[in-house]
Amino acid sequence: MIEVLNKEMFYLYNEKISYVIHILPNGHLGHAYFGKKLGTITSEDVRYLTSTESKSAGTVKFSQTIPNFSLHDQYQEVPIYGTSDFKDGTLKVAEGDDSLYLDFQYISHTIKKEKPRNLAVPASFAEDGQVESITFCLEDPFNQLRLEVTYSLFKNRGTIARGQKLTNLGEKKRKLLRFLSGALDMKNQNFEFLHLSGAWLKERHIKRHSLTQGTVSVGSLKGASSHQHNPFVALLPKGSDNQQGEVYAANLIYSGNFLAQTEVDEWNNLRMMLGIHPECFSWELEQNATFETPEMLLHYTSEGLNGLMAETSAFAEKHVIHPKWYRRNRPVVLNNWEATYFDFDHKKLLALAMEGKKIGIDCFVLDDGWFGQRDNDRVSLGDWFEDPRKFPKGIAAFGKDIHELGLQFGLWFEPEMVSPTSELYTKHPEWVVRHTDSSRIAIGRGQYVLDFSNPAVVENIYEQMKKIISSTDLDYIKWDMNRNITQAYSAYLADNQVNQTEFFHRYILGVYRLYEKILSDFPDILIEGCAGGGGRYDLGILFYSPQIWPSDDSDPIERLAIQSGTLLGYPLSSFSNHVSAAPNHQVRRQTSLEIRTNVAMFGPLGYELNLFELSKNELEQIKTDILFYKKYQSLLTFGRFYQLTEVIDQPNEYGWAVFDEESREGLVCFFRILTEANSSNREFIKVPFVRENKRYSLNGENISGNILKKIGIRKPYQFNSVNGEIAQVAGDYQSFVYELQEL
């Protein structure tokens, strides 16, 4: 998987991809190639690709001793601004007020064939024999700094994992001002910059920018990866579609502030970079101290968007999410939030759980309002003990009653927040993230953010949660985070003479520390991530939480766009989907139970309904739906997902499919948002995953794979005013399910 062609050339490859690194004339790491597997290559091949004999016009020589060589026109692995490269770089270091001009030269390399999982820091992992890593040791002797750059290549995956570590070898303190996780330099191949952006209630919609000379970037400065932008980005050649196109993508295993940037120079060379956002960031390094970046993933596929989804999904499932959840079905949950909001007690909730048990629910999740005196969303955060008015026998007794019904039990926490009226705030007002001027304290959603850069805060919250988890024998946690960070100031850091620009990174490390403590003591608990919906949907959270609440908007029409975008970078199993009330509580859209269910069943399924307000027919339908879901649960959670229709520009129609290569079975679901008058009944959707020489059962009909692949599945007959007897869908917000089985 890793060949050292000679002392200056390194060939990383597996069954799918190749990545070639070489040493530049000045001793820096150069980039030669990333993409489709090259097969056998020699040092002569690499030398031909990377010739530096002709310096581009308008460039400055790196030094007088190396003729015709400038970094500005070279593809680099560790680009740094200012030493003849004038584009943004990955690394910037200062000593006092002086910026250092860095010159990292290759010293040595080591190769390892193991990558264990470590709960302390989210990163990719692999079993022995499934991964090979090479670490380059680079040093700048004048500035007394060491840089270690690691690349990991995984068996049969089109993904490279990359991380960097900087060590201060000198006696003087150094300050990191910029340290991104990595860069990819290459020729701009008529790319568009694809990113997943939006807002609360409409997260991760697919957006694109054309790439010409200049810079395009997205990022977050909210202390979380955010509703507005996501650290997953891609380079999509114009003309690509679901099935074809050489797509390059990057993602960050991190949950805090990030920057994703592309820059195109005057020769149409492109640099894509990803990492911790340099704004509001610095890190002081004493002698021998180190700083390690979050891990960056680089993905490649030649099979368009469906190939990209297959790659990112398989990698996250196998090498990011905890192995205990690999191919393990998740419980069908009933969440009480929209059924009761804050108005409940032991008896009312138990009756709801009993009704849920009758229709096939596996887990009852008690949402916000069970603790302190939480009758609204402005009080009691930070006081993680049960409200005796609602649970006179205690929360442990309620948990026991739920378990005796044969159900799993889940609870909602928002551990990173505190209410101004809470007991915790009264005791420890210094634990809040806030401006030193008390007259200017910002408050959002009636709550403050706890200072998770302070280990004492993390320990206090953990001890409170530990008592509840232990006493209730808890199975499931919904971990929420409803407020972004403002006035990022820590009294703890000030007391310890730590620069406030270290706060954001220290904060997210504190969040990871709480996850680590919970999962170390309670390894079987399932944690569902949530941040006001999808405000922290990233690989850092997925490392600890195998599924995430993708949006507070459970409207199925909005979820079509949210899920189609999110699936470009994250697996189907990571979705937590709820069938909720109609009209929808977020947008007041009226939709059928059928389409709400058909959208929600793609991924882990849940319900958020007041079952006592439903008719007998609706309850029977939900019971039938859950039986159907459980029949295909593994397929709907872990099957390979395909987009059968174009999704780039938020279409009126969606075709979703899941298929399992071993069982040769699949499900296809067609969605139409708005109806069309007098539509054609001769429209088809091509099915790319069938085999042409096989026959398939399609909702009971025997159809050739040749027909399905080259012509397609017939779209359901739409009502056109004269076909009422045979129309299969009618009106706005249509959905139709096809069961597919190879014969």
Side-chain angles (χ1 to χ4, degrees):
M1 292 173 73
I2 297 178
E3 290 185 22
V4 181
L5 299 179
N6 58 34
K7 294 181 180 180
E8 297 179 346
M9 300 176 187
F10 305 85
Y11 184 30
L12 289 64
Y13 66 93
N14 62 14
E15 301 85 346
K16 289 189 173 183
I17 57 173
S18 292
Y19 197 104
V20 184
I21 299 167
H22 68 117
I23 308 302
L24 292 167
N26 66 339
H28 292 192
L29 280 189
H31 175 76
Y33 176 82
F34 175 44
K36 189 178 295 185
K37 183 181 176 182
L38 293 174
T40 301
I41 63 172
T42 66
S43 57
E44 287 78 11
D45 295 325
V46 178
R47 191 171 292 112
Y48 178 77
L49 289 175
T50 59
S51 169
T52 60
E53 294 173 1
S54 176
K55 181 176 72 70
S56 299
T59 59
V60 177
K61 292 181 181 179
F62 178 79
S63 73
Q64 296 179 359
T65 59
I66 310 174
N68 295 325
F69 177 76
S70 171
L71 286 174
H72 192 56
D73 62 358
Q74 294 297 312
Y75 295 163
Q76 303 168 66
E77 292 293 338
V78 189
I80 297 171
Y81 167 79
T83 54
S84 74
D85 185 347
F86 298 103
K87 296 192 288 291
D88 281 343
T90 59
L91 180 59
K92 185 176 181 181
V93 182
E95 182 182 299
D97 294 329
D98 297 332
S99 290
L100 303 181
Y101 289 95
L102 307 174
D103 184 15
F104 286 106
Q105 299 184 17
Y106 169 79
I107 301 296
S108 63
H109 68 272
T110 56
I111 296 175
K112 292 185 177 180
K113 297 188 178 182
E114 58 182 5
K115 202 172 192 295
R117 181 179 170 90
N118 178 6
L119 266 179
V121 180
S124 63
F125 63 90
E127 299 174 357
D128 292 354
Q130 300 295 308
V131 66
E132 197 165 354
S133 301
I134 183 168
T135 298
F136 293 95
C137 178
L138 313 174
E139 288 192 3
D140 180 341
F142 179 81
N143 290 307
Q144 296 181 289
L145 293 167
R146 177 185 296 137
L147 179 65
E148 294 166 90
V149 187
T150 300
Y151 303 79
S152 297
L153 190 67
F154 302 80
K155 185 175 181 180
N156 202 32
R157 294 268 64 87
T159 298
I160 295 275
R162 174 168 174 178
Q164 304 190 128
K165 181 168 72 173
L166 186 72
T167 303
N168 179 15
L169 303 176
E171 295 181 0
K172 295 182 179 179
K173 291 181 182 179
R174 304 292 173 73
K175 181 176 285 190
L176 263 172
L177 301 176
R178 179 187 182 97
F179 199 15
L180 302 184
S181 297
L184 177 62
D185 280 2
M186 61 192 303
K187 182 63 69 175
N188 179 14
Q189 302 165 33
N190 203 19
F191 286 125
E192 292 181 314
F193 180 60
L194 183 151
H195 55 101
L196 306 178
S197 301
W200 179 62
L201 301 183
K202 54 178 183 180
E203 296 89 342
R204 292 174 306 285
H205 286 214
I206 300 170
K207 306 289 177 63
R208 292 174 298 162
H209 289 277
S210 294
L211 292 180
T212 58
Q213 188 173 350
T215 301
V216 176
S217 68
V218 294
S220 173
L221 290 170
K222 295 192 166 190
S225 47
S226 86
H227 300 272
Q228 288 70 28
H229 297 292
N230 190 272
F232 172 85
V233 294
L235 301 174
L236 182 71
K238 291 180 181 178
S240 300
D241 58 27
N242 289 333
Q243 295 304 117
Q244 64 86 31
E246 291 195 271
V247 184
Y248 296 83
N251 207 342
L252 195 63
I253 308 181
Y254 190 64
S255 310
N257 292 348
F258 76 92
L259 174 68
Q261 178 175 304
T262 58
E263 184 174 357
V264 177
D265 69 14
E266 59 266 52
W267 303 291
N268 207 29
N269 296 316
L270 181 149
R271 175 173 295 165
M272 178 168 65
M273 299 188 295
L274 182 61
I276 295 174
H277 205 303
E279 187 71 25
C280 304
F281 168 81
S282 74
W283 200 268
E284 192 169 75
L285 293 176
E286 302 274 359
Q287 186 174 23
N288 297 321
T290 65
F291 184 91
E292 193 162 357
T293 67
E295 207 168 46
M296 169 189 178
L297 303 181
L298 286 171
H299 306 288
Y300 169 80
T301 180
S302 61
E303 299 175 355
L305 295 181
N306 279 329
L308 177 63
M309 288 189 289
E311 178 56 43
T312 58
S313 173
F315 188 87
E317 289 279 9
K318 192 71 174 176
H319 299 295
V320 178
I321 297 172
H322 196 288
K324 77 163 53 257
W325 301 109
Y326 184 68
R327 302 283 169 175
R328 179 175 170 183
N329 285 336
R330 313 290 163 71
V332 177
V333 306
L334 174 62
N335 184 296
N336 75 298
W337 178 240
E338 288 191 7
T340 66
Y341 291 100
F342 295 103
D343 182 18
F344 59 77
D345 58 21
H346 184 131
K347 182 179 179 180
K348 185 175 182 179
L349 292 175
L350 189 59
L352 184 63
M354 292 172 67
E355 198 69 14
K357 175 67 175 178
K358 293 177 186 177
I359 60 173
I361 294 298
D362 301 315
C363 177
F364 183 80
V365 177
L366 171 52
D367 210 284
D368 196 354
W370 60 268
F371 52 92
Q373 295 186 349
R374 182 78 163 174
D375 293 329
N376 59 65
D377 63 1
R378 296 296 187 266
V379 298
S380 295
L381 289 173
D383 295 342
W384 300 110
F385 46 83
E386 69 264 35
D387 184 344
R389 300 169 303 158
K390 298 176 182 179
F391 298 98
K393 295 187 291 184
I395 195 74
F398 179 71
K400 182 180 179 182
D401 285 349
I402 294 297
H403 285 130
E404 287 180 350
L405 290 176
L407 297 174
Q408 296 178 35
F409 181 43
L411 277 176
W412 180 94
F413 290 89
E414 193 173 0
E416 300 160 65
M417 303 293 156
V418 66
S419 301
T421 57
S422 64
E423 292 184 17
L424 182 65
Y425 180 77
T426 301
K427 293 178 182 177
H428 292 287
E430 75 280 7
W431 282 2
V432 165
V433 179
R434 61 182 179 187
H435 198 279
T436 51
D437 180 353
S438 60
S439 67
R440 296 172 55 202
I441 299 174
I443 189 164
R445 204 172 177 269
Q447 60 199 54
Y448 298 131
V449 181
L450 285 171
D451 181 5
F452 265 48
S453 72
N454 184 346
V457 175
V458 176
E459 185 64 29
N460 178 283
I461 296 300
Y462 174 65
E463 289 300 324
Q464 291 193 64
M465 293 179 70
K466 182 179 180 179
K467 291 178 183 177
I468 297 296
I469 296 169
S470 299
S471 66
T472 59
D473 196 18
L474 203 62
D475 304 288
Y476 190 109
I477 289 174
K478 182 177 179 181
W479 179 318
D480 212 341
M481 192 278 287
N482 280 302
R483 198 256 210 226
N484 290 124
I485 296 171
T486 53
Q487 299 171 338
Y489 182 89
S490 163
Y492 167 78
L493 294 183
D495 290 344
N496 287 274
Q497 298 181 319
V498 176
N499 196 297
Q500 295 296 327
T501 50
E502 296 189 13
F503 168 77
F504 277 114
H505 185 60
R506 289 181 181 273
Y507 175 90
I508 206 65
L509 293 180
V511 172
Y512 294 152
R513 176 61 178 151
L514 181 55
Y515 270 111
E516 179 190 14
K517 292 173 77 67
I518 292 171
L519 291 173
S520 295
D521 287 347
F522 306 97
D524 294 325
I525 203 161
L526 192 161
I527 304 177
E528 176 185 303
C530 179
R536 204 162 58 184
Y537 205 117
D538 55 65
L539 294 176
I541 296 300
L542 275 183
F543 181 83
Y544 300 102
S545 300
Q547 62 192 57
I548 300 175
W549 181 236
S551 178
D552 277 347
D553 190 345
S554 55
D555 168 57
I557 306 307
E558 180 56 41
R559 283 290 183 102
L560 289 171
I562 291 172
Q563 199 148 330
S564 292
T566 309
L567 281 166
L568 293 179
Y570 303 92
L572 194 60
S573 67
S574 67
F575 283 80
S576 179
N577 299 320
H578 288 181
V579 177
S580 60
N584 178 264
H585 286 202
Q586 290 77 47
V587 297
R588 294 296 177 190
R589 191 174 354 241
Q590 181 72 51
T591 55
S592 67
L593 179 59
E594 178 184 43
I595 191 171
R596 282 178 276 150
T597 303
N598 288 343
V599 172
M601 71 179 180
F602 281 83
L605 175 65
Y607 288 82
E608 198 164 325
L609 294 166
N610 188 341
L611 302 180
F612 296 109
E613 293 181 349
L614 302 183
S615 68
K616 182 178 179 180
N617 287 342
E618 288 174 317
L619 290 171
E620 285 299 317
Q621 184 59 56
I622 291 174
K623 187 175 182 180
T624 300
D625 292 340
I626 291 175
L627 288 172
F628 179 87
Y629 175 77
K630 289 184 176 180
K631 176 183 176 182
Y632 291 110
Q633 186 170 8
S634 182
L635 176 65
L636 285 162
T637 310
F638 302 107
R640 177 171 171 179
F641 181 88
Y642 291 83
Q643 288 283 3
L644 305 185
T645 55
E646 296 305 316
V647 295
I648 291 293
D649 294 313
Q650 295 189 30
N652 189 51
E653 295 180 352
Y654 290 81
W656 288 359
V658 283
F659 191 72
D660 182 79
E661 291 290 340
E662 293 185 8
S663 66
R664 305 303 300 175
E665 68 176 352
L667 288 174
V668 177
C669 199
F670 171 80
F671 302 97
R672 182 182 284 120
I673 297 173
L674 298 179
T675 192
E676 178 185 341
N678 195 11
S679 64
S680 167
N681 283 318
R682 295 290 186 270
E683 296 181 0
F684 296 82
I685 306 174
K686 292 180 181 179
V687 183
F689 47 79
V690 297
R691 296 189 282 194
E692 295 176 7
N693 62 340
K694 297 291 184 179
R695 297 197 69 83
Y696 292 83
S697 171
L698 180 71
N699 286 5
E701 295 189 74
N702 189 314
I703 309 294
S704 161
N706 242 324
I707 296 294
L708 294 174
K709 191 162 192 172
K710 295 177 180 177
I711 300 175
I713 290 177
R714 188 196 300 272
K715 294 180 184 178
Y717 294 129
Q718 183 174 204
F719 176 70
N720 63 9
S721 83
V722 299
N723 65 347
E725 293 183 357
I726 62 171
Q728 295 167 299
V729 292
D732 295 337
Y733 317 134
Q734 304 166 6
S735 69
F736 193 83
V737 177
Y738 303 84
E739 296 177 73
L740 184 73
Q741 178 68 59
E742 186 173 291
L743 299 176

